[in-house]
């Protein structure tokens, strides 16, 4: 079995993980000092978001030099030492690589600005003539506004994200080879794999037509574009195939059918994809910035559908509640106060018992919550600031705009990691680059001191996945329970069967579980309440109750 199927991936957002030199910004030394904590939790792969040299307009997703570490995080020597120590402790390192675009501060782009039409790098980016003094087409940036920015002499470059993130031209053979050489360099150094940022956007349909259908405009012409499979097969052959590495494609506009095409072993593209469909069930009218109560039934339907289709197609799933672009999961689908611990544990159990590779985003393991920042000037995220101005300019009132931002802003997940009850939660001795979240009582030190804390629940789930082949290879089956707030499923391997019951509601919920009449439970494997009976056919579940039974 591939090693990454068994492992749990922990995502580190370095800027906000641990500051070692007290400049308010997390760094490599900080990560290194916390390896024992991560080891204790039991995770096996550390995915670290970009630490390459960057002007940090999009917190490192705007890379200026793929070959160097940003001084704010440390040096290449420090990075090598981190990899070495992690390996000595049995931890693997997954790099985050951004090859859909570079920063406009990258040497290639700067060469174009300097040498204009003489630059040999003009073909590395997507540069088009304007359309009678206007942009080449009507495509929009994911962060708001046009996706085109004037270059010089009436031409424009494409940027699907910020204006400082210029899209690379994957049609250019030379560009592709340079990217593969660079990726090989990191693997030679000893890193264990890549998370590939927005990788299914790299192949653009070449006629660059106007678009009135997708949102943002243009998306259907580049998401899963015409040459995407060809490019990924080439990347696999040129890079991944030479190392026992893991490759995770972050992809938007995904369906399970498409996911199978990318992850089926015979496709030889990527090992798994990271996608978001189930994390849109609290958007009103598909507008991320206007919230509605989460539609749990829809979420269960989506996740269930992915489990079934991916397994049937022999692909592989990523199991994800949160990352650095998403609000905190407990704020979103759980309870911030009364049932904080119960709901955080339930959410953990649901994900970790599904088939796939689970991800934990830093702080999730202690149930960290949304930031609670209510002034726009407390926000740093470029997307949030752009959206704020765009919406205010459209005449939407400030309170309504802030309501959406407080709930959805990416900064919700980016406030510094809370280690202890000291100033700045032990993240730093000085005011951090982004304000601390409002709920300072939730921190690692308090979590570790309480044997019933959600931290130990995650620890136990991670260990269960190491010990029980059933959780890795076992078949997933949906079980009817006649209650929309409840998700029941089984995992089966040979003659072993586990029943997983989860209540997503903050109320007591009754349900009839449509499992075989003769099935009986003989053991509770894990639960978020201490006293469970062994009845598995009819249950009155307590708020956010979650139980895993062994079935005989
Ligand atoms: O994210 C792309 C993505 O799929 C979105 O979640 C995105 O963050 C945004 O919310 C769309 O409106 C990746 C990175 O994870 C993100 O941090 C970067 O900003 C983005 O790509 C560009 O590199
Ligand atoms: Ca620092």
């Amino acid at each position: 079995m591939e090693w990454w199927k068994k492992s749990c991936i922990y995502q580190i957002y370095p800027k906000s993980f641990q500051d070692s030199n007290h400049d308010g910004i997390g760094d490599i030394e900080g990560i290194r000092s916390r390896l024992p904590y991560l080891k204790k939790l039991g995770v096996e792969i550390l995915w670290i978001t970009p630490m390459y040299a960057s002007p940090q307009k999009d917190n490192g997703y705007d890379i200026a030099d793929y070959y160097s570490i940003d001084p704010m995080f440390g040096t290449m020597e420090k990075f090598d030492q981190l990899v070495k120590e992690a390996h000595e402790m049995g931890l693997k390192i997954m790099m985050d690589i951004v090859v859909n675009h570079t920063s406009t501060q990258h040497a290639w782009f700067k060469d174009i600005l300097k040498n204009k039409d003489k630059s040999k790098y003009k073909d590395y980016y997507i540069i088009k003539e304007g359309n009678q003094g206007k942009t080449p087409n009507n495509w929009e940036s994911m962060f708001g506004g046009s996706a085109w920015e004037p270059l010089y002499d009436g031409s424009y470059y494409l940027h699907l994200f910020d204006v400082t993130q210029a899209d690379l031209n994957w049609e250019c053979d030379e560009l592709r080879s340079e990217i593969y050489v660079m990726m090989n360099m990191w693997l030679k150094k000893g890193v264990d794999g890549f998370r590939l940022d927005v990788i299914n956007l790299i192949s653009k349909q070449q006629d660059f037509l106007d678009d009135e259908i997708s949102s943002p405009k243009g998306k259907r012409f580049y998401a899963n574009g015409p040459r995407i499979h060809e490019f990924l097969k080439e990347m696999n052959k040129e890079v991944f195939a030479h190392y026992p590495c893991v490759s995770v494609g972050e992809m938007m506009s995904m369906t399970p059918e498409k996911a199978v095409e990318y992850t089926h072993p015979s496709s030889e593209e990527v090992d798994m994809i990271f996608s978001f469909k189930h994390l849109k069930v609290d958007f009103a009218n598909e507008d991320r910035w206007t919230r509605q109560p989460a539609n749990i039934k829809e979420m269960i339907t989506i996740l269930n559908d992915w489990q079934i289709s991916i397994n049937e197609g022999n692909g592989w799933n990523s199991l994800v509640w949160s990352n650095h672009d998403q609000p905190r999961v407990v704020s979103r689908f759980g309870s911030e106060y009364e049932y904080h611990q119960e709901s955080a544990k339930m959410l953990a159990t649901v994900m970790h018992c599904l088939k796939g590779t689970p991800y934990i985003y830093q702080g999730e393991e202690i149930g960290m919550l949304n930031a609670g920042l209510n002034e726009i000037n407390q926000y740093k995220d470029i997307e949030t600031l752009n959206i704020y101005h765009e919406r205010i300019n459209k005449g939407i009132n400030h309170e309504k705009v802030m309501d959406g931002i407080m709930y959805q802003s990416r900064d919700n997940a980016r406030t510094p990691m809370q280690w202890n009850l000291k100033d700045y939660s032990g993240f730093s001795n000085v005011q951090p680059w982004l304000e601390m979240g409002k709920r300072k009582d939730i921190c690692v030190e308090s979590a570790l001191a309480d044997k019933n804390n959600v931290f130990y629940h995650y620890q136990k789930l991670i260990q269960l996945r190491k010990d029980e082949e059933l959780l890795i290879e076992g078949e997933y089956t949906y079980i009817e329970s006649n209650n929309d707030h409840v998700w029941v499923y089984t995992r089966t391997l040979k003659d072993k069967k586990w029943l997983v019951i989860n209540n997503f509601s903050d109320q007591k919920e009754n349900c009839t579980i449509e499992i075989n009449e003769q099935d009986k439970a003989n053991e509770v494997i894990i639960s978020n309440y201490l006293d469970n009976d062994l009845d598995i056919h009819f249950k009155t579940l307590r708020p956010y109750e979650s139980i895993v039974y062994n079935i005989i």
Side-chain angles (χ1 to χ4, degrees):
M1 188 209 304
E2 296 85 341
W3 58 271
W4 40 262
K5 289 193 170 170
K6 253 189 117 124
S7 313
C8 179
I9 301 181
Y10 187 92
Q11 184 190 352
I12 295 176
Y13 199 66
K15 228 176 164 175
S16 298
F17 193 59
Q18 176 72 71
D19 178 16
S20 74
N21 62 346
H22 304 294
D23 59 356
I25 303 170
D27 43 52
I28 294 175
E29 270 302 289
I31 300 175
R32 208 168 65 86
S33 72
R34 294 299 182 179
L35 292 178
Y37 167 75
L38 298 168
K39 190 72 192 163
K40 181 181 172 84
L41 179 60
V43 296
E44 289 155 301
I45 306 177
L46 309 180
W47 153 24
I48 310 178
T49 62
M51 296 199 290
Y52 315 89
S54 158
Q56 302 290 329
K57 296 283 186 219
D58 188 18
N59 286 344
Y61 286 91
D62 47 330
I63 299 177
D65 181 3
Y66 292 105
Y67 289 89
S68 65
I69 295 289
D70 197 290
M72 133 187 145
F73 291 122
T75 58
M76 192 60 94
E77 288 68 42
K78 292 262 185 250
F79 177 80
D80 290 340
Q81 201 183 343
L82 173 72
V83 175
K84 186 167 163 275
E85 266 182 49
H87 284 171
E88 281 164 8
M89 293 173 76
L91 296 164
K92 294 194 152 68
I93 302 284
M94 183 163 92
M95 296 292 278
D96 198 327
I97 197 91
V98 190
V99 293
N100 174 68
H101 46 267
T102 70
S103 163
T104 49
Q105 294 295 311
H106 192 286
W108 299 333
F109 197 86
K110 288 210 294 203
D111 190 79
I112 301 177
L113 295 180
K114 185 158 163 248
N115 296 317
K116 308 221 160 53
D117 290 349
K118 287 197 224 75
S119 171
K120 75 170 221 190
Y121 296 109
K122 265 198 89 178
D123 202 28
Y124 276 32
Y125 292 90
I126 301 176
I127 298 171
K128 297 275 165 231
E129 286 310 308
N131 186 357
Q132 294 163 347
K134 292 203 304 248
T135 55
N137 64 26
N138 69 351
W139 292 8
E140 295 166 330
S141 150
M142 309 271 175
F143 291 165
S146 170
W148 298 97
E149 183 69 9
L151 195 52
Y152 54 85
D153 299 345
S155 63
Y156 292 76
Y157 68 90
L158 180 73
H159 63 90
L160 296 182
F161 293 89
D162 186 53
V163 59
T164 64
Q165 291 165 300
D167 277 59
L168 288 168
N169 176 23
W170 276 71
E171 301 295 317
C172 171
D173 300 342
E174 240 185 305
L175 178 265
R176 295 204 306 282
S177 344
E178 280 216 44
I179 297 280
Y180 303 148
V181 168
M182 176 274 292
M183 292 174 81
N184 272 295
M185 183 284 285
W186 286 100
L187 289 171
K188 264 187 224 127
K189 236 181 199 315
V191 306
D192 305 283
F194 294 106
R195 176 265 190 190
L196 303 150
D197 190 62
V198 292
I199 199 68
N200 67 330
L201 307 188
I202 59 178
S203 165
K204 278 83 175 170
Q205 192 173 305
Q206 291 299 297
D207 45 12
F208 293 92
L209 299 173
D210 275 343
D211 181 19
E212 297 302 337
I213 295 173
S214 34
S215 168
K217 288 183 180 141
K219 195 172 182 181
R220 68 194 168 106
F221 296 129
Y222 57 75
N224 308 303
R227 296 179 71 188
I228 184 64
H229 293 290
E230 177 195 335
F231 292 158
L232 287 177
K233 284 182 207 306
E234 184 182 73
M235 184 185 284
N236 187 304
K237 188 165 148 272
E238 299 293 330
V239 185
F240 312 144
H242 306 288
Y243 299 86
C245 64
V246 61
S247 54
V248 181
E250 189 215 22
M251 301 200 186
M252 49 176 91
S253 299
M254 250 319 111
T255 62
E257 293 69 32
K258 287 191 189 126
V260 166
E261 287 179 43
Y262 287 106
T263 63
H264 190 282
S266 71
S267 306
E268 300 185 328
E269 295 185 23
V270 294
D271 295 324
M272 56 186 138
I273 68 160
F274 192 104
S275 70
F276 307 96
K277 184 99 192 285
H278 62 294
L279 298 175
K280 296 180 195 283
V281 296
D282 48 359
F283 300 180
N285 308 318
E286 297 191 12
D287 170 20
R288 172 156 158 233
W289 304 99
T290 311
R291 60 168 152 159
Q292 64 172 21
N295 184 339
I296 296 299
K297 185 175 184 204
E298 191 191 341
M299 182 160 75
I300 295 172
T301 306
I302 295 168
L303 287 169
N304 175 62
D305 195 29
W306 274 74
Q307 285 290 306
I308 292 171
S309 312
I310 295 274
N311 290 330
E312 275 175 7
N314 195 21
W316 191 251
N317 254 309
S318 295
L319 307 171
V320 182
W321 278 133
S322 51
N323 72 1
H324 63 291
D325 298 330
Q326 300 287 328
R328 290 284 181 180
V329 66
V330 177
S331 296
R332 210 171 178 183
F333 305 129
S335 157
E336 291 195 332
Y337 290 95
E338 198 176 357
Y339 300 110
H340 175 251
Q341 292 289 307
E342 289 83 352
S343 63
K345 290 177 189 172
M346 182 278 290
L347 291 162
T349 303
V350 176
M351 262 312 162
H352 286 244
C353 291
L354 288 172
K355 189 164 180 176
T357 298
Y359 290 65
I360 298 173
Y361 176 66
Q362 67 181 44
E364 182 185 323
E365 76 279 16
I366 53 167
M368 274 179 68
L369 302 178
N370 276 352
L373 308 177
N374 46 20
E375 305 283 345
I376 188 62
N377 61 17
Q378 295 173 308
Y379 287 83
K380 292 282 190 299
D381 171 31
I382 188 155
E383 180 189 50
T384 306
L385 299 176
N386 287 353
I387 292 292
Y388 177 81
H389 294 297
E390 191 177 283
R391 299 221 144 189
I392 292 291
N393 290 341
K394 274 189 188 153
I396 306 175
N397 80 48
H398 174 83
E399 280 67 37
K400 186 156 190 291
V401 178
M402 284 311 293
D403 181 69
I405 286 177
M406 281 187 72
Y407 187 67
Q408 269 295 342
S409 169
R410 308 195 296 182
D411 280 342
N412 279 313
R414 299 177 179 186
T415 57
M417 180 73 182
Q418 296 171 185
W419 295 102
N420 56 39
L421 295 168
K422 295 190 197 127
D423 286 351
Y424 309 115
S425 300
F427 163 74
S428 178
N429 288 348
V430 301
Q431 175 67 45
W433 70 278
L434 174 67
E435 292 217 18
M436 301 301 300
K438 290 269 153 61
R439 278 290 295 282
K440 302 204 173 51
D441 55 312
I442 299 170
C443 69
V444 167
E445 192 179 49
S446 312
L448 294 180
D450 168 12
K451 69 180 197 327
N452 286 321
N453 189 275
V454 56
F455 174 91
Y456 293 107
H457 194 85
Y458 270 95
Q459 190 187 50
K460 189 166 174 189
L461 286 165
I462 295 166
Q463 189 60 41
L464 278 173
R465 287 178 44 88
K466 290 179 189 166
D467 297 341
E468 296 290 341
E469 216 192 321
L470 167 136
L471 284 180
I472 318 300
E473 301 276 29
E475 197 190 337
Y476 163 92
T477 311
Y478 178 82
I479 306 291
E480 288 293 340
S481 66
N482 74 356
N483 185 322
D484 289 349
H485 301 283
V486 178
W487 185 6
V488 183
Y489 60 83
T490 54
R491 298 293 307 276
T492 319
L493 187 70
K494 297 175 203 132
D495 52 1
K496 193 164 189 173
K497 177 146 100 182
W498 284 9
L499 174 69
V500 185
I501 304 176
N502 299 286
N503 176 15
F504 278 80
S505 128
D506 60 359
Q507 307 290 319
K508 272 192 181 166
E509 298 286 342
N510 290 323
C511 59
T512 307
I513 296 173
E514 306 285 336
I515 192 168
N516 296 339
E517 203 63 43
Q518 64 275 24
D519 280 350
K520 284 189 179 49
N522 69 338
E523 189 192 342
V524 173
I525 307 288
I526 187 168
S527 174
N528 55 355
Y529 284 81
L530 296 176
D531 51 333
N532 307 102
D533 61 43
L534 291 177
D535 183 358
I536 55 165
H537 297 278
F538 177 81
K539 294 214 81 70
T540 299
L541 295 168
R542 288 163 282 189
Y544 299 103
E545 184 159 2
S546 134
I547 323 170
V548 181
Y549 288 111
N550 185 52
I551 302 297
I552 43 170

